[in-house]
C-alpha cells in the first residue's frame, strides 16, 4: 500500500469506503465521493469550526452536502471524525453517530445511512438533501440566521455567533432554479459567511453537461454579486486551502469556489463518464480504482491505522479548543447579559420565552369583521413583541400578506439585524431559506398567495420530512379573491397541502381563530405549518353565542348546536364557516336540528382520541354537508358516503365576489337545500 502521507491515506479511505458501501448495497452514487474526497477532507481538516464531540455546538460551522446523492462522502466523514450521536432531547451520547456497521448498512431499512442525508435521522447531517438545489438554498437561510444571531446576541467583548456556512454542490444544483433564486438573495444581502464549493465535473446522468448546460456559471455568480474563485484540480490540497483561506480573509460578499474534478476519479474505464454517477462500479472496476490508489484490491471497508487519529489530531483538537473557548465566553456572558443568555438557551431548545403570549389579542364580535390576513398581521405583530427570534418576510407581498414586523426594520445588504426579509418574487427560495432559518433555531416564516404554494412546494415537503417548525403563510386563499380570476384563485392547492404527511394545515374562520392558530403555531417544535388566510373580510363571531375559538387546538370543534341529536352537521373551514352559521340559523328557524362544526385543521382533528372525534362528528349522524371553497377531494373522509360537499369541481372565474359565490353555490339557500337533501338521503 502506498502511504505517501496520512492526508493521501485519509482521502483514499473516504473514497474506498464510498465505493465499498455502494457496491455492497448494489445501489448508490460512487463517482462524486471519489472525486470530492480531497475537497471535503481538506475543508474539514484545515478550516471547519466543528467539534465531533458536540455536533450541536451553536457556533459551529455548518457543512452541507447539497448534491446529496454523494451521501457516502458525508457518512465517511462523520464516521472517521468520530462525530457523536445526538438525542431528540438535544443530549450528546458517548457513541458514534455512524459506526462501521452503519456504513455497511448503507441504503438499508432503518439504517442511519440512507440513500440521501436526512436531518434528524443522522446526527451531523445539518439538512436533508437530495432534491438538487435545496441544500444550497437552505445554506442561505443558515447564513442569514448566523448574521441575525450575531446582530441580536453579540455584545462588545462577547462574540457568540460568527460561524460560516459551507456547501458542496454540483452541476445539477447549478441547473435548478431554486439555487439561482437563493444565490440572488445571498448576493443582494452580501452574506460574507457563505461559501459554495461547486464541483464542476461536467458530467450529468445523460452524459456530458455540454448536452444541456453550457453557460459560464462563474460569470453568472459574479453578476449576482459573489466573489468567484477557481481551483483547477480537486486533488490539489494547497490550492484548495488557498481558496478556503481567501474566503475567510476577504469578506463582504458570498464566495463561490469552482473546483474542476473528475467524477469516478481513479476508475480505469468509468472516470469522467456518466456510468460513474449513479450505479456501483462493478467488481473489476472497483479493483482497478483501488489499484490506482495503491489500495489492497480485495479489501472491504478498510480504515488503515492512523486515519481516525488524523481526524482527531486536526479537526477534533481544533474543534474542541474552539468550543471550549466559546463555552467559557458564554459563561461570562450569562453573568453580564442574563436575559439574552436565557433567550439563547431557549432558542436552541426550541422553547418559547416567558410571557410569549401575553399580548395576543382577543377580538370583539363584529358583523363586518376583517380579512383573516388582516387579523393575522395584528396577531403576528403582537406575538413578535415577546418572541424575539421570530424572523421572516414575504415574496414581495408584505402589503397583501400583512406579514411585516412593524417593530423592526428590514434586513439590508451588509446589515442583517432586522427581522423582516424581503425575499423578492422568489417563492421557492423563500421556502428553502425559511427551512434554513428553522434548522438554525431561528423561527422563520415566509408568506405569499396560496396559489403560489405550488412554486414553494418542494421546500414545504422537505420541512415536513425534516420535522422542522417552518411557518408557511398563504393568503388570498380561494375564489374569494374575485376578479383576478382562475390563474390566481387556488382550487386544488388546499387539498394538496393536506396530502403532505406531517404538515399542519390551518384555515381559521375568523379573527379569534387566527389568534388561536398563532398560539398553536408558536408552540410547535417538530411540525411545519401552512397558515391559510382570506383576502376578503369575514365576520368576527360572537363567542358568547357560539363555541370558544380555543377549539382550534383540537382541529375541529362544535361551534353551534341543536337541542338533542342533530339531524344534520354542517362542516366548514375558513370563510365558509360564517356561511354555515347563516344556514344553521335558517334551518333552526324552520325546525331542522343542525350542528355547525368549524374544522380549521384536519391534521389536528385526526390526532384527537376517538371519543372526542365522535363527540364532534357522531357516527350516528350520517347527514353531513361540508362547505369549502376548494377542490372537494378528501372530504368524503368526514361526510361519509351519504354526505354532501359544496366545493369546487372546476377552476374559478374572473368576476366580482358576489357573482362567484352565486355561480359556484356558496349561498345560504344552497347550503340549506343541500342540508335538507342530505337529511332525506340519510333516511333512505
Amino acid at each position: 500500500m502506498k502511504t505517501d502521507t496520512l492526508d493521501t491515506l485519509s482521502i483514499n479511505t473516504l473514497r474506498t469506503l464510498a465505493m465499498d458501501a455502494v457496491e455492497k448495497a448494489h445501489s448508490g452514487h460512487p463517482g462524486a465521493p471519489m472525486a470530492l474526497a480531497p475537497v471535503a477532507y481538506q475543508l474539514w481538516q484545515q478550516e471547519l469550526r466543528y467539534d465531533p464531540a458536540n455536533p450541536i455546538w451553536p457556533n459551529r460551522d455548518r457543512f452541507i452536502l447539497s448534491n446529496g446523492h454523494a451521501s457516502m462522502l458525508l457518512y465517511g466523514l462523520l464516521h472517521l471524525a468520530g462525530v457523536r450521536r445526538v438525542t431528540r432531547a438535544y443530549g450528546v451520547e458517548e457513541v458514534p453517530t455512524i459506526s462501521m456497521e452503519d456504513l455497511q448498512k448503507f441504503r438499508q431499512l432503518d439504517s442511519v445511512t440512507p440513500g440521501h442525508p436526512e436531518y434528524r435521522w443522522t446526527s451531523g447531517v445539518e439538512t436533508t438533501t437530495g432534491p438538487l438545489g435545496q441544500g444550497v438554498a437552505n445554506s442561505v437561510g443558515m447564513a442569514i440566521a448566523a448574521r441575525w444571531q450575531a446582530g441580536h446576541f453579540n455584545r462588545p467583548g462577547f462574540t457568540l455567533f460568527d460561524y460560516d456556512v459551507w456547501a458542496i454542490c454540483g452541476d445539477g444544483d447549478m441547473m435548478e432554479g431554486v439555487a439561482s433564486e437563493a444565490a440572488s438573495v445571498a448576493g443582494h444581502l452580501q452574506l460574507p459567511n457563505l461559501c459554495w464549493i461547486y464541483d464542476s465535473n461536467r458530467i450529468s446522468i445523460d452524459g456530458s453537461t455540454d448536452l444541456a448546460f453550457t453557460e459560464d456559471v462563474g460569470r453568472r455568480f459574479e453578476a449576482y454579486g459573489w466573489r468567484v474563485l477557481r481551483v483547477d484540480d480537486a486533488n490539489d490540497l494547497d490550492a484548495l486551502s488557498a481558496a478556503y483561506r481567501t474566503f475567510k480573509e476577504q469578506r463582504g460578499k458570498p464566495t463561490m469556489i469552482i473546483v474542476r474534478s473528475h467524477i469516478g476519479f481513479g476508475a480505469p474505464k468509468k472516470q469522467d463518464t456518466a456510468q460513474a454517477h449513479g450505479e456501483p462500479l462493478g467488481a473489476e472496476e472497483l479493483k482497478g480504482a483501488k489499484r490506482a490508489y495503491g489500495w489492497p484490491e480485495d479489501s472491504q471497508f478498510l480504515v488503515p491505522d492512523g486515519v481516525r487519529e488524523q481526524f482527531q489530531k486536526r479537526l477534533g483538537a481544533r474543534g474542541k479548543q474552539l468550543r471550549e473557548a466559546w463555552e467559557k465566553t458564554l459563561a461570562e456572558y450569562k453573568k453580564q447579559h442574563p436575559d439574552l443568555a436565557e433567550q439563547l438557551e431557549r432558542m436552541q431548545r426550541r422553547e418559547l420565552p416567558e410571557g410569549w403570549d401575553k399580548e395576543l389579542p382577543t377580538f370583539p364580535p363584529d358583523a363586518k369583521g376583517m380579512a383573516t390576513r388582516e387579523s393575522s398581521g395584528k396577531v403576528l405583530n403582537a406575538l413578535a413583541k415577546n418572541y424575539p427570534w421570530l424572523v421572516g418576510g414575504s415574496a414581495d407581498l408584505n402589503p397583501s400578506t400583512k406579514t411585516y414586523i412593524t417593530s423592526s426594520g428590514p434586513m439590508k445588504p451588509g446589515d442583517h439585524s432586522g427581522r423582516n426579509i424581503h425575499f423578492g418574487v422568489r417563492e421557492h427560495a423563500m421556502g428553502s431559506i425559511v427551512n434554513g432559518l428553522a434548522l438554525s433555531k431561528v423561527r422563520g416564516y415566509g408568506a405569499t398567495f396560496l396559489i403560489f404554494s405550488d412554486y414553494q412546494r418542494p421546500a414545504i415537503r422537505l420541512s415536513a420530512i425534516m420535522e422542522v417548525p417552518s411557518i408557511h403563510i398563504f393568503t388570498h386563499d380561494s375564489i374569494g379573491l374575485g376578479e383576478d380570476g382562475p390563474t390566481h384563485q387556488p382550487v386544488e392547492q388546499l387539498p394538496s397541502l393536506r396530502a403532505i404527511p406531517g404538515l399542519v394545515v390551518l384555515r381559521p374562520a375568523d379573527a379569534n381563530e387566527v389568534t388561536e392558530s398563532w398560539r398553536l403555531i408558536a408552540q410547535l417544535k417538530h411540525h411545519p405549518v401552512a397558515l391559510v388566510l382570506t383576502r376578503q373580510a369575514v365576520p368576527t363571531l360572537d363567542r358568547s353565542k357560539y363555541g370558544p375559538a380555543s377549539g382550534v387546538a383540537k382541529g375541529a370543534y362544535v361551534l353551534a348546536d341543536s337541542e338533542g341529536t342533530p339531524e344534520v352537521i354542517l362542516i366548514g373551514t375558513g370563510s365558509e364557516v360564517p356561511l354555515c352559521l347563516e344556514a344553521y340559523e335558517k334551518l333552526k328557524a324552520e325546525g331542522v336540528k343542525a350542528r355547525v362544526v368549524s374544522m380549521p385543521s384536519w391534521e389536528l382533528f385526526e390526532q384527537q382520541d376517538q371519543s372526542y372525534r365522535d363527540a364532534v362528528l357522531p357516527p350516528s349522524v350520517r347527514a353531513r354537508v361540508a362547505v369549502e371553497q376548494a377542490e372537494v377531494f378528501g372530504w368524503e373522509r368526514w361526510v361519509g358516503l351519504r354526505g354532501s360537499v359544496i366545493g369546487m369541481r372546476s377552476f374559478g372565474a374572473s368576476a366580482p365576489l358576489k357573482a362567484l359565490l352565486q355561480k359556484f353555490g356558496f349561498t345560504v339557500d344552497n347550503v340549506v337545500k343541500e342540508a335538507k337533501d342530505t337529511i332525506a338521503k340519510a333516511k333512505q
Side-chain angles (χ1 to χ4, degrees):
M1 180 187 301
K2 296 179 181 178
T3 55
D4 299 337
T5 67
L6 270 175
D7 287 335
T8 301
L9 197 65
S10 300
I11 290 166
N12 287 336
T13 301
L14 285 170
R15 286 170 166 150
T16 55
L17 285 176
M19 293 154 51
D20 288 340
V22 170
E23 202 71 23
K24 188 174 190 298
H26 306 293
S27 172
H29 302 74
M34 294 165 72
L36 289 170
V39 177
Y41 172 81
Q42 194 70 351
L43 172 61
W44 278 54
Q45 288 289 66
Q46 299 296 331
E47 303 296 342
L48 205 66
R49 297 164 48 98
Y50 189 85
D51 183 6
N54 190 338
I56 55 172
W57 164 42
N59 200 36
R60 70 190 180 279
D61 282 357
R62 270 57 168 183
F63 173 78
I64 298 164
L65 188 68
S66 190
N67 46 344
H69 55 270
S71 56
M72 266 308 303
L73 174 63
L74 179 54
Y75 300 150
L77 289 164
L78 295 174
H79 172 72
L80 295 177
V83 174
R84 293 182 183 173
R85 185 190 303 162
V86 179
T87 69
R88 197 172 179 89
Y90 306 112
V92 180
E93 298 182 331
E94 295 289 332
V95 294
T97 180
I98 293 180
S99 66
M100 177 56 74
E101 183 182 4
D102 294 324
L103 292 180
Q104 294 172 356
K105 291 181 178 178
F106 178 53
R107 289 185 164 229
Q108 304 308 300
L109 183 64
D110 295 330
S111 167
V112 295
T113 51
H116 295 84
E118 295 185 34
Y119 175 78
R120 78 167 175 80
W121 193 251
T122 310
S123 302
V125 172
E126 301 284 4
T127 183
T128 297
T129 57
L132 294 174
Q134 290 294 334
V136 285
N138 293 159
S139 77
V140 175
M142 293 178 181
I144 290 172
R147 297 289 293 171
W148 182 85
Q149 288 166 329
H152 185 74
F153 290 107
N154 290 358
R155 292 294 182 270
F158 296 97
T159 300
L160 291 184
F161 289 99
D162 61 350
Y163 62 85
D164 292 320
V165 181
W166 306 81
I168 290 181
C169 52
D171 291 303
D173 289 289
M174 293 300 98
M175 295 184 209
E176 288 287 358
V178 66
S180 300
E181 290 181 20
S184 179
V185 172
H188 167 72
L189 289 175
Q190 298 174 6
L191 296 174
N193 59 335
L194 179 63
C195 181
W196 291 3
I197 303 167
Y198 165 34
D199 171 30
S200 177
N201 63 40
R202 302 176 190 175
I203 294 294
S204 64
I205 292 175
D206 282 352
S208 168
T209 54
D210 288 343
L211 293 169
F213 188 58
T214 54
E215 69 202 46
D216 189 326
V217 174
R219 287 190 177 183
R220 173 156 65 93
F221 273 70
E222 287 173 349
Y224 288 148
W226 289 55
R227 177 184 297 105
V228 177
L229 308 173
R230 289 175 170 81
V231 173
D232 291 333
D233 181 3
N235 295 297
D236 189 337
L237 301 186
D238 291 337
L240 289 167
S241 288
Y244 299 156
R245 285 195 299 271
T246 298
F247 159 62
K248 299 189 79 169
E249 293 169 2
Q250 298 181 20
R251 301 292 189 168
K253 60 175 69 175
T255 295
M256 166 174 272
I257 302 173
I258 302 177
V259 180
R260 182 72 176 95
S261 78
H262 296 279
I263 192 170
F265 178 79
K269 296 180 180 179
K270 293 187 176 181
Q271 177 178 311
D272 293 328
T273 71
Q275 286 69 43
H277 171 74
E279 61 188 44
L281 292 175
E284 292 307 311
E285 196 74 0
L286 187 71
K287 289 181 179 180
K290 289 181 177 179
R291 282 196 299 271
Y293 304 150
W295 210 258
E297 293 181 19
D298 296 323
S299 66
Q300 290 188 348
F301 296 96
L302 173 64
V303 179
D305 293 342
V307 171
R308 293 188 178 91
E309 293 78 7
Q310 177 83 337
F311 274 87
Q312 286 303 314
K313 178 181 176 182
R314 295 185 187 174
L315 173 71
R318 182 179 67 251
K320 180 181 178 182
Q321 182 180 17
L322 289 167
R323 176 181 57 81
E324 289 179 346
W326 184 87
E327 289 173 344
K328 184 177 179 180
T329 300
L330 178 62
E332 188 61 31
Y333 182 85
K334 288 180 178 178
K335 299 175 185 176
Q336 298 196 29
H337 305 284
D339 292 343
L340 284 172
E342 183 181 358
Q343 285 186 23
L344 173 57
E345 184 173 344
R346 288 177 179 270
M347 184 183 73
Q348 289 300 315
R349 301 183 72 86
R350 299 197 193 281
E351 295 174 354
L352 291 162
E354 288 289 341
W356 63 273
D357 60 349
K358 64 184 179 183
E359 295 189 52
L360 295 186
T362 298
F363 295 90
D366 183 353
K368 182 179 179 182
M370 66 181 79
T372 53
R373 62 169 175 154
E374 190 80 37
S375 53
S376 176
K378 296 178 185 296
V379 179
L380 170 64
N381 273 278
L383 179 62
K385 291 178 183 178
N386 301 296
Y387 195 176
W389 51 95
L390 181 64
V391 175
S394 74
D396 195 43
L397 288 169
N398 280 328
S400 295
T401 58
K402 312 297 181 184
T403 45
Y404 196 88
I405 297 176
T406 56
S407 59
S408 182
M411 287 191 183
K412 297 178 290 189
D415 177 6
H416 311 113
S417 59
R419 296 169 68 184
N420 295 288
I421 305 173
H422 290 285
F423 290 105
V425 188
R426 305 181 184 98
E427 292 88 357
H428 195 173
M430 177 178 71
S432 301
I433 290 170
V434 166
N435 288 347
L437 293 172
L439 289 160
S440 308
K441 307 300 176 61
V442 174
R443 195 68 192 276
Y445 68 86
T448 186
F449 294 169
L450 180 56
I451 192 69
F452 302 131
S453 63
D454 287 349
Y455 287 155
Q456 195 177 333
R457 188 177 184 85
I460 299 170
R461 184 175 187 271
L462 280 169
S463 68
I465 289 176
M466 292 190 287
E467 298 182 4
V468 292
S470 300
I471 304 171
H472 309 288
I473 303 171
F474 301 113
T475 68
H476 295 58
D477 68 347
S478 69
I479 60 168
L481 63 89
E483 291 86 349
D484 279 345
T487 60
H488 282 55
Q489 292 167 352
V491 171
E492 72 277 21
Q493 282 69 29
L494 192 55
S496 75
L497 289 173
R498 288 174 177 148
I500 297 176
L503 177 68
V504 176
V505 181
L506 283 159
R507 189 174 184 240
D510 75 342
N512 287 307
E513 281 201 9
V514 168
T515 294
E516 295 307 313
S517 293
W518 274 107
R519 192 187 307 278
L520 174 89
I521 289 166
Q523 298 177 76
L524 295 174
K525 291 185 177 183
H526 301 293
H527 289 86
V529 64
L531 180 61
V532 180
L533 305 166
T534 69
R535 177 196 185 189
Q536 74 275 24
V538 293
T540 303
L541 304 177
D542 184 349
R543 296 295 169 165
S544 67
K545 181 179 179 182
Y546 300 118
S550 58
V552 166
K554 293 189 174 182
Y557 64 102
V558 177
L559 191 60
D561 211 356
S562 62
E563 292 185 9
T565 302
E567 298 174 73
V568 64
I569 300 174
L570 307 179
I571 311 170
T573 78
S575 54
E576 288 68 74
V577 171
L579 175 60
C580 289
L581 285 173
E582 287 187 66
Y584 162 85
E585 297 293 353
K586 188 169 183 179
L587 288 166
K588 183 179 178 182
E590 296 179 11
V592 178
K593 293 181 178 181
R595 169 180 290 184
V596 175
V597 170
S598 177
M599 187 180 276
S601 175
W602 291 14
E603 299 76 25
L604 295 177
F605 188 58
E606 287 175 330
Q607 292 172 15
Q608 307 311 308
D609 59 42
Q610 190 65 49
S611 62
Y612 178 79
R613 296 200 303 270
D614 288 349
V616 175
L617 298 175
S620 61
V621 182
R622 294 185 295 173
R624 303 176 184 182
V625 179
V627 189
E628 184 176 66
Q629 289 181 22
E631 221 289 333
V632 299
F633 180 81
W635 270 110
E636 63 276 1
R637 183 185 315 177
W638 308 116
V639 301
L641 296 177
R642 294 182 178 274
S644 176
V645 184
I646 299 174
M648 299 297 295
R649 292 173 170 81
S650 68
F651 293 114
S654 177
L657 175 58
K658 288 184 178 180
L660 291 171
L661 297 180
Q662 188 70 37
K663 173 180 174 61
F664 291 105
F666 295 100
T667 65
V668 174
D669 288 344
N670 191 45
V671 175
V672 168
K673 177 181 180 300
E674 285 292 333
K676 292 178 178 178
D677 289 348
T678 305
I679 292 171
K681 186 166 58 175
K683 290 179 179 179
Q684 293 176 359

